[in-house]
C-alpha cells in the first residue's frame, strides 16, 4: 500500500525545515524528475540527424509554472529547442526568478494566443509536451483561455505528454456534471507524495502512469517530515492498494479438507435471476465450497433455464450457509407492486429485506437492494455487512438513509467525502463504492476516522452489465470462507480488477463469465 494525502504543501514546508532544504533545491529536484521522464523521447536516436526535437512547456504563474521554467532551462542546455507557452505571466517570486533564468538560457517564450500557430509550424518536431500550468492548489473551473490551451495541447498526437504534479483540469469542480477539459497526460510526475486528486474519476483519463518524484529527500522522509519536527502529524487520508495487498483464498495448506471447509454462499434471487446466477458462479469460482440460489417473494422462476448443475436451488436459506448475498437481480419495490412499509409475517421481498437484520451470517448488499427504504432499518441493526454500490445506487442508498438527495454527478464529484460520511454514520459496515477508481472504506470500533483504501487497478473493460454481480459473489465467497468484511472487500476488489487485465481478448469483449475465467 502507498500513502495518499489530501494536500502536500504543508509537507513541502515541513521537509524544508526538517532537512535544511530550500525552495530552489526542491524545485531543481522536481524539474530534474520531469526532465528524466521526458528524456527518452527528446534524446531519441531517431532524432539525431534530422530536425532537432522540440519541447513545448505550458507554464502558469505560480510554483507549478516555476517548475516548468526550471525544466526549460535544464533541457535547452542540451541544444534542444524549447518553447514555453506563458499561459499566465509569472506571479510568485520563485516563478519570476525561474522565468528570468530560462530566458537568459535561450528558452523561447510564446503567448497562448499564438499557441495554435506555433503547434502548426512545429508539429513535425514536437516530441514532448509538458503541463506545468496549475498544481494541487487549484480549485474551481478553468477559464476559457486555459481550456483552449489544454484542448490544443491534447490534439498533438505525435508528442508524449507529461503533467507536473497534477494534470491541469483534473481537479476541477465537476459536481454539476459538466464535461471539463483536462490535460491528457501519458505520465504524471507528482511531487513528494501521492495526492488524493490523482485518484478522482476525472483524473483517471488524465493522469496516465503516476510517478512520485523525490524533492531532495527520500519519499519516506518527505512523508514523515512533520514527525521529524515533532509537529502535529499530517496523516494520510487514504492508502493506494497494490496487487500484493490481496490475500487470495489459496488452499495449499488445507489438503485435509472438504467442500464444507470453504463455506456455503446463499444468493437471493428475485425478478432478474440471471444476476443472482452470475453472483453464484463467481462465489464458486472464488473459493466458496457451495453456492445456492434462494428465490424470494414466491417468485415462480424456472431455475433450470438460468442455472446449470454447479449451483443449488433452495426454498429457504440453507442452515449451513456461511454468507449471504442480497441485491443482484432482487428487483425494486415497484417490481413487486409493494408499498414502502414492511409487511409483517408475509413471504414478500420487503419482508426478506427486513428479515436480513436478524440473520447471523455476514452479508453482501448490492444493486437493487439500495432502492428499498427498509435498508435503513437493516443497516441500523446489522454490522457485518459489505455494501457494493455504483454511484447511482449509492445516491439511492443515501436518499433512503436520509443522508441527502444527490445526483449521480454530485456523488462522483464528492465521492470521497460522502463515503466518509456514510462510514461515520454506520460504524463497522464496509462500503465498496465502485467507479473508475474504487473506494473501499470502513470505520472500525475504537478508531477516530474511517479507513479508506483506493483501488486504481481496474480498467474500462469492467464497464459491462454483470461485472458488479461478479464482485458481489467474490466478496461473499471470502466472507463464507471466514474472511473479515474489510479484508474480504479489499481482496475481492483487487482480484476483480486484476482479472480485467488478465483477460485475453479485446477490452470491449469482456463478459462476466470470461471475467471469472480470468480470476
Amino acid at each position: 500500500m502507498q500513502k495518499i494525502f489530501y494536500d502536500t504543501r504543508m509537507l513541502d514546508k515541513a521537509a524544508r525545515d526538517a532537512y535544511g532544504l530550500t525552495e530552489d533545491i526542491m524545485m531543481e529536484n522536481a524539474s530534474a524528475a520531469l526532465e528524466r521522464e521526458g528524456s527518452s523521447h527528446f534524446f531519441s536516436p531517431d532524432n539525431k540527424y534530422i530536425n532537432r526535437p522540440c519541447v513545448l512547456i505550458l507554464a502558469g504563474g505560480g510554483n507549478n509554472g516555476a517548475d516548468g521554467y526550471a525544466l526549460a532551462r535544464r533541457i535547452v542546455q542540451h541544444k534542444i529547442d524549447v518553447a514555453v507557452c506563458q499561459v499566465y505571466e509569472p506571479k510568485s517570486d520563485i516563478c519570476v526568478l525561474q522565468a528570468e533564468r530560462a530566458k537568459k538560457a535561450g528558452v523561447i517564450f510564446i503567448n497562448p494566443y499564438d499557441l495554435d500557430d506555433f503547434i502548426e509550424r512545429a508539429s513535425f518536431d514536437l516530441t514532448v509536451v509538458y503541463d506545468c500550468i496549475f498544481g494541487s492548489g487549484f480549485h474551481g473551473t478553468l477559464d476559457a483561455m486555459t481550456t483552449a490551451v489544454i484542448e490544443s495541447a491534447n490534439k498533438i498526437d505525435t508528442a508524449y505528454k507529461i503533467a507536473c504534479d497534477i494534470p491541469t483540469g483534473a481537479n476541477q469542480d465537476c459536481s454539476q456534471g459538466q464535461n471539463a477539459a483536462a490535460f491528457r497526460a501519458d505520465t504524471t510526475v507528482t511531487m513528494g507524495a501521492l495526492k488524493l486528486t490523482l485518484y478522482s474519476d476525472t483524473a483517471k483519463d488524465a493522469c496516465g502512469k503516476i510517478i512520485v518524484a523525490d524533492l531532495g529527500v527520500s519519499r519516506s522522509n518527505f512523508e514523515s517530515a512533520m514527525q521529524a519536527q515533532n509537529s502535529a502529524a499530517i496523516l494520510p487520508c487514504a492508502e493506494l492498494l497494490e496487487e500484493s495487498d490481496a490475500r487470495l483464498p489459496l488452499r495449499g495448506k488445507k489438503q485435509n479438507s472438504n467442500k464444507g471447509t470453504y463455506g456455503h454462499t446463499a444468493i437471493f434471487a428475485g425478478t432478474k435471476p440471471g444476476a443472482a446466477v452470475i453472483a453464484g458462479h463467481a462465489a464458486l469460482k472464488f473459493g466458496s465450497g457451495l453456492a445456492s440460489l434462494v428465490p424470494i417473494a414466491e417468485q415462480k422462476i424456472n431455475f433450470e433455464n438460468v442455472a446449470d448443475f454447479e449451483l443449488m436451488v433452495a426454498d429457504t436459506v440453507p442452515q449451513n450457509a456461511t454468507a449471504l448475498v442480497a441485491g443482484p437481480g432482487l428487483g425494486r419495490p415497484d417490481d413487486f407492486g409493494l408499498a414502502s412499509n414492511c409487511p409483517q409475517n408475509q413471504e414478500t421481498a420487503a419482508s426478506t429485506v427486513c428479515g436480513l437484520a436478524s440473520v447471523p451470517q455476514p452479508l453482501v448488499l448490492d444493486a437493487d437492494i439500495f432502492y428499498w427504504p427498509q435498508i435503513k432499518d437493516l443497516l441500523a441493526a446489522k454490522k457485518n455487512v459489505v455494501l457494493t454500490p455504483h454511484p447511482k445506487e449509492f445516491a439511492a442508498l443515501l436518499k433512503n438513509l436520509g443522508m441527502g438527495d444527490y445526483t449521480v454527478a454530485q456523488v462522483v464529484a464528492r465521492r470521497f467525502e460522502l463515503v466518509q460520511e456514510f462510514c461515520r454514520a454506520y460504524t463497522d459496515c464496509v462500503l465498496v463504492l465502485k467507479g473508475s477508481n474504487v473506494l473501499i472504506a470502513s470505520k472500525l470500533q475504537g478508531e477516530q476516522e474511517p479507513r479508506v483504501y483506493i483501488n486504481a487497478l481496474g480498467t474500462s473493460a469492467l464497464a459491462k452489465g454483470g461485472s458488479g454481480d461478479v464482485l458481489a459473489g467474490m466478496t461473499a465467497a471470502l466472507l463464507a470462507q471466514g474472511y473479515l468484511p474489510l479484508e474480504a472487500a479489499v481482496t475481492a476488489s483487487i482480484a476483480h480488477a486484476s482479472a480485467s487485465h488478465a483477460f485475453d481478448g479485446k477490452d470491449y469483449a469482456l463478459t462476466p463469465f470470461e471475467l471469472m475465467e480470468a480470476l
Side-chain angles (χ1 to χ4, degrees):
M1 296 184 190
Q2 301 180 53
K3 297 176 182 177
I4 300 175
F5 297 83
Y6 272 120
D7 192 341
T8 60
R9 285 175 293 180
M10 289 184 67
L11 283 175
D12 285 343
K13 182 180 184 306
R16 289 196 297 272
D17 294 342
Y19 303 109
L21 303 176
T22 65
E23 192 172 39
D24 226 347
I25 290 174
M26 297 180 78
M27 193 160 287
E28 204 64 28
N29 280 278
S31 60
L34 291 166
E35 181 186 13
R36 282 193 300 272
E37 189 57 33
S39 62
S40 62
H41 300 277
F42 51 72
F43 286 139
S44 171
D46 295 338
N47 294 322
K48 189 171 183 181
Y49 300 110
I50 59 175
N51 293 340
R52 287 182 297 171
C54 184
V55 175
L56 172 63
I57 299 172
L58 312 175
N63 285 14
N64 206 253
D67 288 337
Y69 287 114
L71 170 66
R73 170 179 50 78
R74 294 180 64 93
I75 295 175
V76 78
Q77 68 181 329
H78 300 295
K79 307 299 183 184
I80 293 173
D81 288 340
V82 182
V84 174
C85 176
Q86 295 182 297
V87 183
Y88 295 94
E89 289 293 325
K91 292 182 181 178
S92 69
D93 291 342
I94 191 68
C95 189
V96 171
L97 175 61
Q98 295 289 10
E100 290 175 353
R101 290 172 175 172
K103 185 175 182 179
K104 290 176 181 178
V107 174
I108 300 168
F109 291 176
I110 61 175
N111 71 62
Y113 302 104
D114 295 331
L115 179 60
D116 285 340
D117 289 340
F118 171 82
I119 291 173
E120 186 175 354
R121 293 194 308 272
S123 60
F124 181 77
D125 289 335
L126 279 175
T127 57
V128 182
V129 177
Y130 287 95
D131 166 26
C132 301
I133 302 176
F134 293 121
S136 57
F138 176 81
H139 299 285
T141 56
L142 298 180
D143 59 31
M145 181 186 69
T146 306
T147 298
V149 167
I150 293 301
E151 290 175 344
S152 295
N154 285 340
K155 292 176 183 176
I156 307 173
D157 295 329
T158 57
Y160 192 81
K161 299 181 180 69
I162 301 171
C164 174
D165 204 31
I166 291 173
T168 297
N171 49 353
Q172 290 188 76
D173 177 9
C174 299
S175 60
Q176 301 308 312
Q178 65 263 35
N179 295 317
F183 184 82
R184 296 294 183 92
D186 296 293
T187 296
T188 296
V189 181
T190 196
M191 303 307 169
L194 294 174
K195 289 90 175 169
L196 183 62
T197 298
L198 296 168
Y199 298 98
S200 70
D201 279 13
T202 305
K204 186 77 170 184
D205 286 331
C207 290
K209 179 176 65 175
I210 298 172
I211 294 173
V212 178
D214 292 342
L215 299 179
V217 293
S218 69
R219 180 176 172 184
S220 60
N221 282 345
F222 181 86
E223 291 177 346
S224 61
M226 294 297 285
Q227 288 90 327
Q229 280 192 304
N230 295 318
S231 301
I234 297 178
L235 297 176
C237 62
E239 293 186 274
L240 180 66
L241 295 174
E242 300 171 290
E243 286 196 41
S244 59
D245 294 318
R247 189 174 71 84
L248 299 175
L250 302 174
R251 299 184 176 185
K253 297 181 179 180
K254 290 185 178 181
Q255 296 305 310
N256 182 22
S257 61
N258 57 64
K259 60 189 177 185
T261 306
Y262 304 104
H264 187 167
T265 304
I267 305 97
F268 291 101
T271 61
K272 299 176 282 251
V277 170
I278 291 172
H281 278 286
L284 282 177
K285 188 70 176 181
F286 213 48
S288 184
L290 297 162
S292 295
L293 301 177
V294 182
I296 66 166
E298 299 181 351
Q299 292 293 295
K300 303 299 182 182
I301 301 170
N302 184 355
F303 281 102
E304 292 180 359
N305 293 333
V306 295
D308 59 29
F309 295 109
E310 291 184 351
L311 301 179
M312 299 182 291
V313 179
D315 293 332
T316 59
V317 175
Q319 289 186 350
N320 64 341
T322 51
L324 308 179
V325 181
L330 178 72
R332 302 182 188 181
D334 289 346
D335 295 331
F336 294 92
L338 299 174
S340 59
N341 292 328
C342 181
Q344 298 298 316
N345 302 318
Q346 296 182 26
E347 291 296 320
T348 63
S351 62
T352 299
V353 175
C354 292
L356 291 173
S358 61
V359 299
Q361 297 93 337
L363 178 64
V364 176
L365 301 178
D366 185 45
D368 288 340
I369 200 166
F370 300 121
Y371 295 90
W372 287 82
Q374 291 81 6
I375 196 169
K376 183 174 183 178
D377 295 330
L378 168 59
L379 293 181
K382 190 166 176 60
K383 298 298 183 183
N384 53 343
V385 179
V386 179
L387 303 92
T388 60
H390 58 53
K392 184 177 180 180
E393 293 162 351
F394 191 45
L397 173 64
L398 292 174
K399 185 175 182 178
N400 278 326
L401 296 177
M403 296 182 68
D405 192 354
Y406 299 97
T407 65
V408 174
Q410 289 169 333
V411 167
V412 171
R414 299 178 56 188
R415 61 203 317 263
F416 193 84
E417 170 193 347
L418 294 174
V419 161
Q420 288 184 310
E421 287 183 11
F422 171 85
C423 290
R424 292 186 188 108
Y426 292 90
T427 303
D428 285 338
C429 286
V430 177
L431 176 63
V432 181
L433 180 56
K434 293 175 286 194
S436 297
N437 293 305
V438 179
L439 298 186
I440 304 168
S442 181
K443 185 176 183 296
L444 304 180
Q445 287 286 350
E447 295 187 346
Q448 295 297 315
E449 288 295 326
R451 299 184 184 191
V452 182
Y453 302 96
I454 299 179
N455 179 3
L457 298 169
T459 72
S460 58
L462 293 170
K464 188 73 68 72
S467 292
D469 304 321
V470 172
L471 178 62
M474 291 171 62
T475 306
L478 297 182
L479 294 174
Q481 294 171 79
Y483 282 58
L484 295 175
L486 184 57
E487 182 183 32
V490 166
T491 293
S493 180
I494 293 173
H496 185 257
S498 298
S500 70
H501 293 275
F503 172 62
D504 185 18
K506 303 296 184 183
D507 57 6
Y508 57 78
L510 182 62
T511 65
F513 283 93
E514 288 167 322
L515 177 62
M516 293 180 217
E517 289 303 314
L519 287 173

